[in-house]
C-alpha cells in the first residue's frame, strides 16, 4: 500500500455504529472452580463476552496484569495466581469466537485441583444496545482521522463484538479495507490484534492507529 490510497474513495463508506452492554444478572453464581465450570457451560455467549472483554470497553478496573473477571476472582478469592494467569492469558485473536474462548477457559479450569471456596462470583450477561453514530468514512484517510477521536464503544463494537459473537467472520475494519481497497496486508495486521490482552481503551486505539500507519507508511 502507498500513500495515494489514503484519499481514494470507497464505493461504500464505513458506517460507524456503537454499542452499550448494560449488565444483567445471569442467575448463576460460583463459589468454587467446579461451580465456575458449571456456570461457564450454562450461561449464554453474551455473559462470556461481558466477563472476558468488558475491561476494554468500560471503566471497570481489574488489576493491570489480569485481563478478565474470571482470572481476577480466581486469584483474589481462590488464592490461585498460577491458574488465574493461565485463564487471563487465553487468546482471543481472530478467528476465535466467544464460544471458543469459553471452551478454552473450561479446559484450563478442568485441569485444576483447586478445592478452595471464596466469596461468590456472580455471572452477569448483557443485552447490547446498538446505535448508529451517523459518522461515515469514505476513504482510509478519513477512517484514520475518525478512529483517532471516535468513542471506544464504536471501535470495540466493530473490532471485537461482531466478530467474537459470530455476526461477522472478521472484524469490520479489516472486512471493509479488503472489500473496498483490496488492502489485505493492513487488514491482516489489524486482525492480529488480540482484544483479550487489553484492559486499556486508549492503548487499543493507539495500537490500531499505529498498525494502520506502520503498514501504510512502510
Amino acid at each position: 500500500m502507498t500513500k495515494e490510497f489514503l484519499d481514494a474513495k470507497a464505493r461504500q463508506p464505513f458506517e460507524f455504529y456503537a454499542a452499550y452492554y448494560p449488565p444483567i444478572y445471569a442467575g448463576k453464581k460460583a463459589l468454587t472452580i467446579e461451580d465456575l465450570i458449571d456456570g461457564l457451560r450454562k450461561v449464554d455467549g453474551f455473559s462470556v463476552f461481558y466477563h472476558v472483554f468488558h475491561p476494554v470497553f468500560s471503566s471497570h478496573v481489574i488489576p493491570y496484569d489480569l485481563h478478565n473477571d474470571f482470572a481476577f476472582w480466581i486469584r483474589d478469592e481462590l488464592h490461585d495466581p498460577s491458574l488465574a494467569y493461565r485463564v487471563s492469558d487465553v487468546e482471543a485473536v481472530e478467528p476465535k469466537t466467544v464460544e471458543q474462548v469459553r471452551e478454552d477457559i473450561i479446559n484450563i479450569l478442568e485441569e485444576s485441583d483447586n478445592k478452595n471456596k471464596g466469596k461468590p462470583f456472580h455471572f452477569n450477561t448483557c443485552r447490547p444496545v446498538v446505535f448508529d453514530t451517523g459518522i461515515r468514512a469514505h476513504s482510509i484517510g478519513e477512517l484514520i482521522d475518525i478512529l483517532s477521536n471516535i468513542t471506544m464503544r464504536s471501535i470495540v463494537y466493530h473490532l471485537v463484538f461482531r466478530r467474537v459473537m459470530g455476526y461477522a467472520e472478521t472484524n469490520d475494519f479489516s472486512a471493509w479495507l479488503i472489500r473496498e481497497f483490496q488492502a489485505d496486508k493492513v487488514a491482516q495486521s489489524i486482525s492480529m490484534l488480540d482484544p483479550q490482552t487489553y484492559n486499556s481503551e486508549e492503548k487499543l486505539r493507539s495500537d490500531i492507529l499505529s498498525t494502520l500507519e506502520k503498514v501504510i507508511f512502510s
Side-chain angles (χ1 to χ4, degrees):
M1 176 174 287
T2 55
K3 295 179 182 178
E4 59 263 26
F5 281 97
L6 286 174
D7 297 323
K9 296 298 182 183
R11 292 168 300 175
Q12 296 292 328
F14 188 93
E15 301 178 348
F16 282 87
Y17 286 72
Y20 289 91
Y21 310 92
I24 306 167
Y25 178 49
K28 295 190 178 300
K29 63 182 179 181
L31 298 173
T32 65
I33 289 294
E34 185 177 355
D35 294 340
L36 189 63
I37 294 171
D38 182 66
L40 273 165
R41 284 190 172 128
K42 294 177 179 175
V43 294
D44 61 20
F46 290 116
S47 178
V48 179
F49 171 79
Y50 180 85
H51 287 296
V52 172
F53 296 103
H54 83 105
V56 76
F57 59 74
S58 74
S59 57
H60 175 77
V61 177
I62 63 173
Y64 196 77
D65 56 344
L66 296 175
H67 299 126
N68 62 62
D69 290 340
F70 304 125
F72 179 41
W73 181 76
I74 289 168
R75 187 180 72 176
D76 284 20
E77 294 300 330
L78 303 188
H79 311 295
D80 194 335
S82 177
L83 180 62
Y85 286 116
R86 289 186 65 200
V87 170
S88 178
D89 288 342
V90 167
E91 293 184 352
V93 71
E94 290 186 27
K96 277 193 174 180
T97 67
V98 74
E99 294 305 327
Q100 292 168 315
V101 171
R102 181 208 305 261
E103 193 62 32
D104 286 351
I105 293 175
I106 289 174
N107 289 339
I108 292 171
L109 295 176
E110 287 181 330
E111 296 174 357
S112 171
D113 58 0
N114 187 304
K115 302 298 182 185
N116 295 342
K117 180 181 293 187
K119 292 180 181 177
F121 179 92
H122 295 278
F123 282 91
N124 286 329
T125 185
C126 61
R127 292 294 176 266
V129 179
V130 181
F131 60 95
D132 187 348
T133 69
I135 299 172
R136 305 288 185 264
H138 298 84
S139 67
I140 295 177
E142 288 185 3
L143 182 75
I144 293 173
D145 288 342
I146 293 169
L147 287 174
S148 300
N149 297 290
I150 199 166
T151 172
M152 280 303 301
R153 291 189 176 278
S154 180
I155 293 176
V156 172
Y157 173 76
H158 290 294
L159 183 74
V160 184
F161 176 77
R162 282 177 34 78
R163 190 263 302 172
V164 300
M165 293 306 298
Y167 297 119
E169 293 185 356
T170 186
N171 74 84
D172 292 342
F173 301 125
S174 292
W176 183 73
L177 288 165
I178 292 172
R179 184 177 66 248
E180 297 297 328
F181 301 101
Q182 296 78 52
D184 295 63
K185 185 176 180 181
V186 66
Q188 183 178 7
S189 296
I190 293 175
S191 293
M192 293 302 293
L193 295 173
D194 184 353
Q196 161 65 0
T197 63
Y198 289 89
N199 52 17
S200 165
E201 297 176 342
E202 292 308 318
K203 181 65 169 66
L204 177 58
R205 183 201 303 275
S206 174
D207 282 2
I208 294 171
L209 289 170
S210 63
T211 298
L212 279 165
E213 292 168 353
K214 181 179 179 181
V215 176
I216 292 171
F217 295 108
S218 62

